[in-house]
Amino acid sequence: MVAYDRVETDVLVMGMGGAGLRAALEIVSRNLKVVLVSKSLLGKAHTVMAEGGIAAAVANVDSKDSWQVHFSDTVAEGVYIGDYRMAEILAKEAPERVYELERYGALFDRTPDGKIMQRAFGGHTYRRLCHVGDKTGLEMIRTLEDRVLHTGNAKLLDETVITKLLACNGSVCGAVGFSLRTGKFIVFECKAIIVATGGLGRIYKVSSNSHETTGDGIAMAFEAGAELRDMEMVQFHPTGMVYPPGVRGLLVTEGVRGEGGLLFNTKGERFMLRYSPEKKELDARDVVARAIYHEIQNGNGTEHGGVYLDITKKGAAFIRKKLPGMYEQFKEFAGVDITKEKMEVAPTVHYFMGGIRVEPETARTNVNGLFAVGEAAAGLHGANRLGGNSLADILVFGRRAGISAATYAATSVAPKLDYREAEAEISRINSFIDEAGRGSTNPYEIIDELRDTMSSKVGIIRNGKDLNSALQTITVLKERAKSVTVKGGVRFNQGLLGCIEMEKMLLVAECVVRSAIYRKESRGAHTRSDFPNKLKEWKLNIICARNGSKIDLSTVPVPEMPEELNALVKPEVYA
Amino acid sequence: MKAENKKEEGAKTGRTRKFKVYREDPTDGKGGEYQEFDVQVEEGMVVLDAITYISQRVDPTLAVRWNCKAARCGSCSAEINGVPRLMCKTRVDTIDGTITVGPMRAFPLVKDLVTDVSSNYEIEKLMPEFKPKEGISSPWRMNEMDVGRSQEFRKCIECFLCQDVCHVVRDHHAAYIGPRHVVKAASLDMHPLDTLDRSEWLTADGGLGYCNVTKCCQDVCPEHIKITDNAIIPEKERSADSLYDPIISLFRRFSKGKADRKQ
Ligand SMILES: Cc1cc2nc3c(=O)[nH]c(=O)nc-3n(C[C@H](O)[C@H](O)[C@H](O)COP(=O)(O)OP(=O)(O)OC[C@H]3O[C@@H](n4cnc5c(N)ncnc54)[C@H](O)[C@@H]3O)c2cc1C
Ligand code: SF4
Ligand code: SF4
Ligand code: FES
């Protein structure tokens, strides 16, 4: 007999990041029951870390900006394999979502004439990022958190880990998880599920992401039959901290360059003038990240393996007003005063463009009743995400996913959940716990090895040999993972959480590596030294689908844009 | 800490430090005690690094709450050598001798270093929500200076360390909602387009009168919010004004403007 609580609802929202919270508001307002779950505490989700801003063509600073230019930037910087319909929706709806957030109570920085202030960011033609200093994500989370708390009708189960989605006859009907706080297992019964579980940055050793971003939702959706796409597309942010070691990877916001920070190598050369004479420091992330990578590889890096980022000329008052978080971060962690000294920076894993394949307008996956949104979903960003487009994404598509899931749940009959399947999953989780601890494998040994492999072999510049070796390592790790056990109980057991995250990480990492091997060209964030050129025949999306215990890879062509949209975008060029 | 890291960074401190970590599972009724661990340290290491090393490598049953490891989410609050601090923002090399890590004392214990902070969300639910002026033309316009005043309070990461340090919250739990929530009220009250005045609510329902302005909360805030000076004292003054001056109080209640606010 396995003991568990039952929770019944119309819609289960997995994730309390911006995407999950925004989606939940739509469900509540349609008088349906919604339960939200999150591994972290309410208000602490990864979104809270977002700094630079929300991209929306409100044209407060540069009056020439428009949805058309935002659309065109998004498609072009995504290197033409993003979904144009998602880009169009994003560009058109982001302004209204920003104003709506303001009406909910968010307080943005202002222009001299009192409108929402916007800052420059890499790859955006105009100054477009609506921001709150360098704490935009915090303001977004807090505003949405408040709103959700005050609706009173959303059930919030934070510090609850979902381990498996349940499907009946091709439709989702529930999920299994457990509460970290009580240690109790929970079986959720529902009509629709929204996966808003964020990305997978923590499958890498050096990453700017919160430690909860282990690809769980992507892995669980895949196992439930959902297709994944663009899994090879991992964004490296050009500037992460490099020193001290404990904070290696921590983000140095693009806002620093947006506000005038310049990059130098150890020879004192402003090297971006060489790599990108026109856009310089503010070129797209993949371009700047590769430039820094090359400088370090060529021996022009610091002893800690970084280059310099310098904003001192802007003066202390300006820096402390516009970049308070960065000022604090360097002072506290590195003992560096950025108003007087240069920062040391190097690329860090930052964002995941790939994820669950969705229908652009509705966030539906190919599994009935299963929706995906935010960093867990794919399509909008193609081969490279523009800074600020993710916060816009989670508002715009968060709302749409909420509406779609609510509409679906309101019109569908509750499917019958097979409790034996749920109980089997609970037994499986319980079997990780071995009181005697018979000298078993520690999940963190496997996780650390996976992270090292991903960082050293599936990084900014890839090649077939390294990728294949990474795949071999993953195969070995998967085998070793079978002997993983931990001692103790279910409540706040870091080891048990490690076992679950390890499984999800291995699965999504394998999809990343297999897709990276498959794409034999260089495009956006995916650069291969053995296939250095972008190739026309690769203007395709790679799809991962589950076939028993195997991962099947295939390609689909990028949909053609209608003439009026095509005319907005500068044509793609091939060398 | 980890062999690979050390090799890579060349930070060969090779030193170990002693950590005393509080262990208690209230469900087993056995009470609590500090357990000692020796952890190898490397340059720039923070207390959270040592704690996660223990929970990932030595004893997975050590309960700890954390997420961003960047001092941005406010999860990893604890008492380090008795002082409420974020574990991820406290460098090991700033502390001499044994490092003692315990849970926040103002909240019920869940297990080891994890406390139940859910009462804070219950208070948040009761806080009168943002209520903008009606009929203002969109998009809204606000002055940068006015916005800045509220933004100070919006830096709050809800670490609840100020709640933990406040002797009133510790001793008279239910009577006073605590500094975090006064900061929240101030962030709403100072919104240039908000129409409510929460100072009376803070006094009548929130027990603000119990606060005797010791400023301990302000000293521990990792975001350096001037909790007492800029949130608590102005809210106290406003509520005093309106309570003792019925005409102002009436005027406040019916006027939508905030120009008369002391700021
Ligand atoms: C340092 C930093 C700065 C950034 N700055 C910007 C910026 O300026 N502009 C911008 O547009 N983007 C920025 N981004 C990216 C952006 O913050 C994220 O892409 C975005 O917040 C993702 O939101 P989300 O709602 O999809 O997921 P998340 O915020 O990652 O939330 C995921 C949620 O799912 C939950 N979850 C995960 N797995 C499980 C499970 N198994 N069971 C239960 N719950 C689970 C988590 O606990 C969490 O609540 C930044 C990212 C970083 C790291
Ligand atoms: S100033 Fe008031 S709120 Fe702050 S610690 Fe002292 S009594 Fe508590
Ligand atoms: S006001 Fe400061 S100490 Fe209090 S919860 Fe907010 S950030 Fe933490
Ligand atoms: S882990 Fe987020 S504040 Fe310490």
Side-chain angles (χ1 to χ4, degrees):
Chain A
M1 244 324 271
V2 274
Y4 51 85
D5 289 343
R6 290 181 182 197
V7 172
E8 226 191 283
T9 182
D10 292 314
V11 184
L12 173 66
V13 177
M14 287 164 58
M16 297 187 191
L21 293 173
R22 184 62 193 81
L25 289 176
E26 295 303 321
I27 302 161
V28 170
S29 74
R30 284 166 179 73
N31 289 318
L32 291 174
K33 283 192 284 184
V34 59
V35 173
L36 287 102
V37 292
S38 168
K39 285 198 284 191
S40 51
L41 202 62
L42 172 62
K44 315 290 184 207
H46 173 72
T47 297
V48 88
M49 297 182 85
E51 299 171 351
I54 313 172
V58 289
N60 287 350
V61 179
D62 291 318
S63 58
K64 284 209 207 101
D65 202 7
S66 62
W67 75 262
Q68 288 90 343
V69 186
H70 190 183
F71 166 77
S72 148
D73 287 347
T74 304
V75 171
E77 298 293 344
V79 205
Y80 304 90
I81 62 161
D83 191 301
Y84 77 85
R85 285 183 293 170
M86 290 179 93
E88 182 187 1
I89 291 169
L90 179 97
K92 285 183 174 166
E93 295 181 6
E96 176 46 27
R97 294 286 80 74
V98 167
Y99 286 131
E100 174 184 74
L101 199 68
E102 179 164 81
R103 287 195 299 274
Y104 290 169
L107 206 41
F108 292 93
D109 287 3
R110 314 310 290 187
T111 61
D113 57 349
K115 296 191 229 159
I116 293 177
M117 184 66 170
Q118 298 182 279
R119 65 162 51 115
F121 241 53
H124 289 283
T125 303
Y126 297 110
R127 284 171 285 181
R128 190 175 284 146
L129 268 70
C130 306
H131 61 272
V132 183
D134 55 7
K135 293 175 183 290
T136 314
L138 175 65
E139 185 74 0
M140 178 186 281
I141 279 275
R142 214 54 90 225
T143 305
L144 294 174
E145 173 188 335
D146 252 27
R147 193 91 187 168
V148 168
L149 281 172
H150 277 95
T151 63
N153 291 325
K155 189 177 168 81
L156 301 169
L157 295 176
D158 52 356
E159 303 197 310
T160 297
V161 184
I162 301 287
T163 65
K164 188 183 167 77
L165 308 185
L166 303 169
C168 342
N169 306 326
S171 305
V172 290
C173 56
V176 180
F178 60 86
S179 160
L180 288 168
R181 249 176 318 201
T182 64
K184 279 198 179 157
F185 285 96
I186 307 171
V187 176
F188 296 88
E189 223 177 317
C190 59
K191 298 176 186 168
I193 296 181
I194 299 178
V195 181
T197 49
L200 48 63
R202 283 289 159 190
I203 65 172
Y204 282 82
K205 180 174 170 181
V206 177
S207 168
S208 64
N209 287 194
S210 283
H211 287 256
E212 68 183 356
T213 57
T214 49
D216 303 10
I218 301 172
M220 287 186 274
F222 177 80
E223 281 176 330
E227 290 173 345
L228 310 180
R229 65 174 270 187
D230 303 335
M231 291 296 285
E232 68 280 22
M233 295 302 177
V234 179
Q235 178 172 75
F236 284 77
H237 193 287
T239 57
M241 284 179 83
V242 295
Y243 199 79
V247 292
R248 194 177 182 103
L250 200 62
L251 190 76
V252 178
T253 175
E254 189 164 329
V256 176
R257 281 170 290 136
E259 299 292 356
L262 303 178
L263 288 163
F264 297 94
N265 60 24
T266 44
K267 292 179 177 152
E269 180 203 4
R270 192 177 160 200
F271 58 86
M272 282 315 296
L273 297 177
R274 192 154 33 86
Y275 291 90
S276 173
E278 217 172 293
K279 298 183 181 169
K280 304 177 207 86
E281 275 82 359
L282 288 178
D283 206 332
R285 291 191 169 162
D286 56 326
V287 179
V288 183
R290 275 195 300 273
I292 296 175
Y293 176 86
H294 283 303
E295 284 305 301
I296 297 167
Q297 290 295 304
N298 295 339
N300 296 334
T302 66
E303 61 167 318
H304 304 123
V307 295
Y308 292 119
L309 174 60
D310 189 356
I311 181 118
T312 54
K313 70 167 192 306
K314 286 290 193 173
F318 178 87
I319 294 168
R320 294 187 66 163
K321 160 73 190 154
K322 280 300 182 185
L323 303 160
M326 283 304 109
Y327 174 78
E328 273 282 309
Q329 181 173 312
F330 273 89
K331 197 173 62 129
E332 298 277 343
F333 294 123
V336 168
D337 178 353
I338 66 166
T339 65
K340 298 197 185 86
E341 296 164 82
K342 299 190 206 77
M343 295 163 249
E344 250 182 287
V345 296
T348 180
V349 168
H350 186 54
Y351 186 82
F352 188 51
M353 278 77 73
I356 303 163
R357 189 183 190 192
V358 290
E359 188 179 80
E361 293 80 6
T362 60
R364 293 174 82 120
T365 69
N366 57 308
V367 178
N368 287 331
L370 187 63
F371 301 78
V373 65
E375 200 168 334
L380 169 63
H381 312 290
N384 187 30
R385 174 192 69 122
L386 284 178
N389 266 4
S390 175
L391 290 184
D393 171 12
I394 61 185
L395 290 178
V396 167
F397 292 98
R399 172 178 161 274
R400 282 178 168 261
I403 297 172
S404 306
T407 312
Y408 176 90
T411 53
S412 73
V413 221
K416 195 96 191 83
L417 188 141
D418 180 357
Y419 275 89
R420 278 166 315 184
E421 202 189 335
E423 286 166 15
E425 172 66 3
I426 293 171
S427 303
R428 196 183 73 84
I429 301 303
N430 265 326
S431 72
F432 282 121
I433 299 172
D434 174 8
E435 279 301 333
R438 293 164 294 182
S440 58
T441 313
N442 178 336
Y444 288 96
E445 280 171 27
I446 295 189
I447 289 176
D448 278 358
E449 215 174 308
L450 174 69
R451 285 177 173 158
D452 283 341
T453 305
M454 293 303 288
S455 278
S456 61
K457 305 229 155 109
V458 197
I460 291 194
I461 313 277
R462 303 163 171 184
N463 65 69
K465 190 166 147 274
D466 282 353
L467 290 172
N468 278 301
S469 136
L471 188 58
Q472 260 172 17
T473 307
I474 292 173
T475 314
V476 173
L477 291 177
K478 268 168 51 184
E479 207 41 51
R480 278 176 54 201
K482 291 181 182 157
S483 67
V484 155
T485 55
V486 290
K487 60 172 184 157
V490 177
R491 286 168 61 226
F492 272 105
N493 186 327
Q494 182 90 48
L496 182 62
L497 186 60
C499 292
I500 287 148
E501 291 182 340
M502 172 200 72
E503 290 182 337
K504 315 297 180 213
M505 290 163 86
L506 285 168
L507 174 55
V508 291
E510 183 174 345
C511 292
V512 170
V513 175
R514 285 191 187 277
S515 302
I517 293 172
Y518 206 76
R519 185 176 286 281
K520 295 187 173 49
E521 63 152 358
S522 292
R523 182 183 293 266
H526 174 76
T527 304
R528 285 189 57 164
S529 55
D530 46 354
F531 298 98
N533 296 321
K534 186 172 73 163
L535 302 171
K536 203 164 196 162
E537 61 265 34
W538 270 105
K539 192 174 170 186
L540 301 167
N541 296 106
I542 299 175
I543 307 292
C544 295
R546 196 179 79 127
N547 177 4
S549 62
K550 288 215 333 267
I551 300 166
D552 274 351
L553 272 78
S554 59
T555 54
V556 293
V558 176
E560 287 293 327
M561 275 187 266
E563 203 30 60
E564 68 276 14
L565 290 180
N566 203 24
L568 298 173
V569 181
K570 66 172 187 282
E572 186 177 20
V573 275
Y574 288 92
Chain B
M1 198 168 101
K2 284 176 228 150
E4 323 72 273
N5 278 357
K6 269 202 317 204
K7 241 189 294 151
E8 200 178 277
E9 307 304 335
K12 29 171 197 330
T13 47
R15 269 191 330 124
T16 63
R17 292 285 301 268
K18 205 170 277 308
F19 287 82
K20 278 167 70 178
V21 184
Y22 190 74
R23 305 301 303 266
E24 181 182 349
D25 186 346
T27 61
D28 67 14
K30 288 189 201 149
E33 61 181 12
Y34 283 90
Q35 190 182 352
E36 280 193 17
F37 296 92
D38 289 319
V39 179
Q40 223 174 69
V41 293
E42 64 178 24
E43 212 179 331
M45 187 166 157
V46 292
V47 170
L48 183 63
D49 287 319
I51 298 297
T52 55
Y53 174 75
I54 296 167
S55 73
Q56 295 183 350
R57 297 304 182 138
V58 184
D59 181 356
T61 66
L62 171 62
V64 50
R65 174 186 282 139
W66 65 294
N67 192 15
C68 71
K69 204 174 109 55
R72 291 210 168 232
C73 75
S75 296
C76 66
S77 306
E79 295 190 10
I80 301 171
N81 288 355
V83 183
R85 303 179 74 166
L86 294 177
M87 289 189 273
C88 72
K89 207 181 181 179
T90 307
R91 277 176 69 142
V92 169
D93 57 15
T94 59
I95 304 171
D96 293 326
T98 303
I99 299 174
T100 307
V101 187
M104 290 193 284
R105 273 171 289 176
F107 300 104
L109 188 67
V110 174
K111 187 169 184 290
D112 303 334
L113 300 177
V114 179
T115 54
D116 180 358
V117 293
S118 57
S119 57
N120 290 292
Y121 303 109
E122 296 308 315
I123 296 171
E124 222 161 280
K125 284 186 198 168
L126 301 175
M127 172 91 49
E129 245 188 313
F130 171 58
K131 195 166 184 302
K133 281 183 195 159
E134 274 165 37
I136 9 172
S137 65
S138 186
W140 295 352
R141 298 211 182 210
M142 284 175 255
N143 183 296
E144 173 73 7
M145 277 260 286
D146 298 341
V147 164
R149 271 191 285 273
S150 172
Q151 280 178 336
E152 174 186 6
F153 308 124
R154 289 161 187 261
K155 292 192 298 183
C156 171
I157 56 174
E158 293 191 341
C159 63
F160 309 124
L161 289 170
C162 55
Q163 300 284 109
D164 183 45
V165 83
C166 175
H167 66 105
V168 189
V169 174
R170 280 192 191 194
D171 301 341
H172 311 276
H173 239 291
Y176 171 40
I177 55 173
R180 153 59 188 143
H181 304 286
V182 185
V183 166
K184 178 78 196 191
S187 82
L188 295 165
D189 280 343
M190 300 270 191
H191 188 302
L193 297 177
D194 178 68
T195 53
L196 300 180
D197 180 348
R198 291 162 189 78
S199 64
E200 283 173 66
W201 178 82
L202 283 174
T203 309
D205 295 2
L208 181 59
Y210 286 96
C211 159
N212 52 355
V213 212
T214 58
K215 301 198 185 189
C216 313
C217 49
Q218 166 162 317
D219 290 340
V220 299
C221 177
E223 289 294 321
H224 309 299
I225 299 170
K226 293 251 185 310
I227 303 174
T228 325
D229 298 344
N230 294 349
I232 292 177
I233 295 174
E235 288 288 359
K236 274 177 176 270
E237 282 176 355
R238 270 205 292 280
S239 111
D241 284 356
S242 40
L243 289 181
Y244 297 126
D245 187 337
I247 296 176
I248 291 186
S249 169
L250 267 179
F251 172 74
R252 288 252 164 85
R253 212 164 285 167
F254 296 109
S255 83
K256 301 224 182 274
K258 289 201 165 183
D260 55 332
R261 279 281 177 77
K262 286 199 190 78
Q263 277 165 341

